[in-house]
Amino acid sequence: RMFEEDDFNCYPVREGDDIIGVMSKFDFLKCFAFNPGRMVPAYDELLSRTVGDVMTPEFIYVDPTTKLTRVLHLMVDHRMKSIPVLDSGQRLAGIIAREDVMRALTARA
């Protein structure tokens, strides 16, 4: 529901003040992918999963002082649409998306 409402590509997953992973549209869609062992998704099982079951626990992030060129490099190399921004206490400071990078590059042109 959140992906549809906000049209974000990725959300941080928090446990208290800690970011413990990210949940992307790709993580969500992987649940419904067919494979040779499962040609028909078990919807009851899928709907009982939690975010923690399908999130990506190891993720790339940047800090607020990361240079824009580095952010762009990470996005291109890892084919990412957005990257969480964590502060020095590893708390979420924001999320930088491709559109943010494009807007900053346009402003500098």
Side-chain angles (χ1 to χ4, degrees):
R1 184 182 70 221
M2 291 171 66
F3 288 122
E4 185 177 317
E5 289 174 3
D6 300 327
D7 196 32
F8 292 156
N9 294 301
C10 181
Y11 290 96
V13 179
R14 292 176 41 178
E15 189 171 76
D17 287 337
D18 297 327
I19 306 299
I20 60 168
V22 293
M23 178 72 175
S24 67
K25 287 181 180 177
F26 183 74
D27 292 325
F28 176 77
L29 291 173
K30 279 192 307 189
C31 295
F32 296 93
F34 299 131
N35 63 48
R38 188 178 78 191
M39 294 305 291
V40 178
Y43 289 103
D44 290 339
E45 185 266 328
L46 289 175
L47 294 176
S48 69
R49 287 184 174 177
T50 65
V51 170
D53 294 334
V54 296
M55 71 178 187
T56 300
E58 295 183 17
F59 59 95
I60 294 171
Y61 64 91
V62 296
D63 67 56
T65 64
T66 303
K67 299 285 186 197
L68 189 59
T69 53
R70 177 67 178 144
V71 172
L72 182 57
H73 183 210
L74 289 169
M75 287 179 166
V76 170
D77 281 358
H78 297 281
R79 303 181 67 86
M80 300 171 73
K81 294 182 178 181
S82 57
I83 300 175
V85 181
L86 304 184
D87 66 17
S88 60
Q90 299 296 298
R91 289 187 211 102
L92 184 66
I95 295 178
I96 187 164
R98 288 181 190 175
E99 292 81 9
D100 300 317
V101 175
M102 290 174 66
R103 193 170 25 258
L105 291 172
T106 300
R108 301 285 281 182

